[in-house]
Amino acid sequence: MSESSVIPLAHPAVPALRDVVPASIPLGPDGVTHIEGVSAARIAEQFGSPTWVVSRTQIRSNLQTLRDATAAHLGAVEIAYSMKANNNLSVLRTVAAEGVLFDCSSEWELRMVLRAGIAGNRVILNGNGKSAGYLALAVDAGVRQINVDSLAEVHRLDELAERAGRRVSCVVRVKLTYSRLLEHDPSYERTLRVAEAKFGSSIANGEAIAIIDAIQASPWLEFRGLSHHAGFPGYRANYTPDHQLVHVRECVREMAEFAGLLAQRGDPVERLDVGGGLRSGEHVVISTPGDGHDVALHPLPTPEAYAAALAAGLDDGWTEGPRPIIQYETGGFHVANAGVLLTTVQDVKESVFPTKRRFVTVDSAMTMFTTRGSSRVGYPVVAVGKPDGTTPHSTPVEIVGPTCAYDSIAEDISLPDVEPGDLLALLNQGAYAETTSTQFNGFPRPAVVMVDGDQAWLVRRREELADILAREVEEASR
């Protein structure tokens, strides 16, 4: 893929609907009208607006796509669903039915997995600075492995495992040197400081070896392998799919080289957990909040290209013993393009200062998916019931929420004429949207509806005022 396949979204460019909608959204003469076989208008009428809609068929299709790609390049792998992307219990059960593992990064995520009826031995436990309570719950649940983050954590886990009389499988989260990766992409140094610094134990200064030695010395702990979130750089200003693939390849290569050194000293690596970072769909919308001029559809690596980059890193770095089991911890790939937020237009306002633009206010808000403000990820906006190729309004459009804050859902985009009561669909809302939502300005969080074929049902009800006030404690007069 190349940067030439970037599709600008700033006015007056209008992407074809076929470039943005997933397979679960059929395109008819009137454009987008249904999600799977269910009318979007019917969903809004029955369940209210705004409402998140999750396609069960799309989740299943995404997983099969990933399986096919990894099988072609890597053979058997273990795919785990990273539930921080979307922790709805119906989503968890849908994924569980496909036989995958689960990646939990907090005690509360682990409790949710168990509440969904999923066995603990299907869980990979992650997180830095894990509390004794979190580790104790994991030991009691019999999780498949704990990705240990520090020597102190190993000591806590050793005591808990002995107390429970259970052996625990450990995978060591390592901090790489990134030497060759930084040669390819010096800008990644910023990400190391911000996103990676707190995770793992260093290979370079011997911390990782010390942790492995401590695990091997314990009768209750078993060393199984290595873990690292393999190089996803995030959607920075210089993002390209080629950048992402280089990060994957170089991080896996360095992990494989370290595994070879461990094999030479008698510590074979059975599992190589390479993390996640892959999104579903062909494109991601990237724009800088407050800018708008850089809004564009950027191509994503295909699953085949991702798996091939991982295999290349493994081939380049692996020198000793049988190949390990490769583990993925994908969340966004399972659910990103499986989710849609249906939202209704409340107001349309023309503005001429400081620039000429049209503000379309909807009944949702950026605070319902705060990743819009904390990252450069945006969401394609589709006017429901408007045919593909409909002439856009002559003025650049900004989709905004009604909150008392910077609340730009989409900036300087092209959109057909809409009026109050019209329905819009925000695409790619399946990952890191609901899980980052807030109650800013007291807005209740939307309902969640699952669709499968021509069936739709409520899986998480809309919040009410009573929910927002439920944690308040009424004080007696003092």
Side-chain angles (χ1 to χ4, degrees):
M1 297 184 185
S2 66
E3 295 182 61
S4 63
S5 52
V6 172
I7 303 174
L9 296 185
H11 193 83
V14 183
L17 292 180
R18 63 180 176 274
D19 290 326
V20 294
V21 298
S24 57
I25 298 181
L27 289 178
D30 294 324
V32 169
T33 58
H34 287 65
I35 302 170
E36 294 201 31
V38 185
S39 162
R42 181 197 129 193
I43 291 172
E45 181 180 354
Q46 181 176 353
F47 300 104
S49 173
T51 288
W52 276 296
V53 186
V54 181
S55 165
R56 177 174 279 179
T57 298
Q58 190 67 53
I59 292 175
R60 291 168 173 159
S61 174
N62 289 343
L63 179 56
Q64 189 57 52
T65 297
L66 185 60
R67 279 179 168 149
D68 290 345
T70 54
H73 293 279
L74 295 161
V77 300
E78 290 185 346
I79 297 174
Y81 172 61
S82 185
M83 61 176 291
K84 60 181 173 285
N86 190 315
N87 60 23
N88 184 278
L89 295 189
S90 289
V91 171
L92 301 185
R93 291 174 180 134
T94 297
V95 174
E98 301 300 309
V100 302
L101 303 175
F102 286 80
D103 160 36
C104 295
S105 292
S106 76
E107 175 181 344
W108 319 112
E109 287 187 342
L110 177 55
R111 291 188 183 278
M112 294 181 76
V113 164
L114 298 175
R115 177 68 178 271
I118 297 159
N121 63 7
R122 295 176 64 179
V123 170
I124 294 173
L125 204 75
N126 270 301
N128 65 296
K130 302 179 190 68
S131 68
Y134 183 22
L135 292 173
L137 178 64
V139 172
D140 184 62
V143 299
R144 174 161 176 72
Q145 72 193 48
I146 296 178
N147 290 355
V148 296
D149 192 72
S150 69
L151 188 58
E153 185 175 295
V154 172
H155 293 324
R156 287 196 296 272
L157 182 58
D158 186 32
E159 293 176 3
L160 290 166
E162 181 179 13
R163 193 178 307 162
R166 290 190 175 185
R167 292 182 64 81
V168 178
S169 292
C170 298
V171 167
V172 177
R173 171 97 184 221
V174 293
K175 189 176 296 182
L176 307 177
T177 68
Y178 309 101
S179 55
R180 232 167 71 173
L181 174 54
L182 288 170
E183 290 178 9
H184 287 284
D185 182 10
S187 69
Y188 188 53
E189 194 271 337
R190 297 194 305 267
T191 300
L192 297 182
R193 293 200 310 267
V194 175
E196 288 293 328
K198 74 172 186 174
F199 293 110
S201 297
S202 173
I203 290 173
N205 69 6
E207 289 175 343
I209 289 289
I211 287 178
I212 293 167
D213 288 342
I215 292 169
Q216 297 288 39
S218 168
W220 299 103
L221 306 181
E222 297 177 325
F223 173 67
R224 297 291 191 186
L226 304 174
S227 166
H228 183 75
H229 193 59
F232 176 57
Y235 300 111
R236 304 193 313 270
N238 65 342
Y239 172 80
T240 68
D242 292 336
H243 260 124
Q244 184 170 351
L245 295 176
V246 166
H247 284 239
V248 170
R249 187 190 72 226
E250 288 304 314
C251 286
V252 171
R253 178 196 57 77
E254 191 171 348
M255 291 174 73
E257 287 181 349
F258 184 54
L261 295 176
L262 294 176
Q264 289 174 12
R265 54 171 252 156
D267 297 315
V269 171
E270 300 173 14
R271 304 170 189 171
L272 212 60
D273 185 340
V274 300
L278 185 63
R279 276 183 177 252
S280 49
E282 297 181 359
H283 297 89
V284 61
V285 173
I286 301 178
S287 67
T288 304
D291 183 345
H293 293 91
D294 62 351
V295 59
L297 281 173
H298 288 252
L300 289 167
T302 65
E304 291 79 10
Y306 188 86
L310 196 158
L314 193 61
D315 290 340
D316 194 18
W318 195 268
T319 57
E320 296 286 335
R323 291 294 180 94
I325 296 171
I326 299 297
Q327 296 176 322
Y328 284 90
E329 295 170 359
T330 55
F333 192 82
H334 288 70
V335 295
N337 69 346
V340 173
L341 181 65
L342 294 179
T343 185
T344 302
V345 175
Q346 291 187 164
D347 183 65
V348 178
K349 180 171 68 175
E350 307 289 344
S351 174
V352 295
F353 182 84
T355 58
K356 186 176 181 180
R357 64 176 57 189
R358 179 176 241 211
F359 289 94
V360 175
T361 301
V362 294
D363 61 0
S364 57
M366 193 175 74
T367 53
M368 294 177 184
F369 38 92
T370 62
T371 47
R372 175 68 191 99
S374 62
S375 72
R376 301 177 69 244
V377 175
Y379 305 94
V381 181
V382 173
V384 173
K386 304 288 185 179
D388 200 2
T390 300
T391 302
H393 191 269
S394 59
T395 304
V397 173
E398 187 153 342
I399 308 296
V400 296
T403 66
C404 185
Y406 173 78
D407 194 357
S408 183
I409 294 169
E411 298 172 298
D412 287 341
I413 65 169
S414 294
L415 197 72
D417 273 321
V418 294
E419 57 187 32
D422 283 350
L423 198 60
L424 303 181
L426 274 60
L427 306 181
N428 295 342
Q429 281 265 321
Y432 308 106
E434 187 190 9
T435 55
T436 66
S437 59
T438 74
Q439 295 169 336
F440 184 73
N441 274 169
F443 275 81
R445 284 174 283 205
V448 182
V449 169
M450 182 79 76
V451 296
D452 191 359
D454 61 359
Q455 301 297 309
W457 63 97
L458 189 69
V459 295
R460 188 173 279 176
R461 66 172 174 79
R462 187 178 312 281
E463 282 185 329
E464 300 173 349
L465 179 61
D467 298 309
I468 298 172
L469 298 176
R471 296 169 58 225
E472 301 294 328
V473 177
E474 297 293 341
E475 294 183 281
S477 60
R478 297 189 180 188

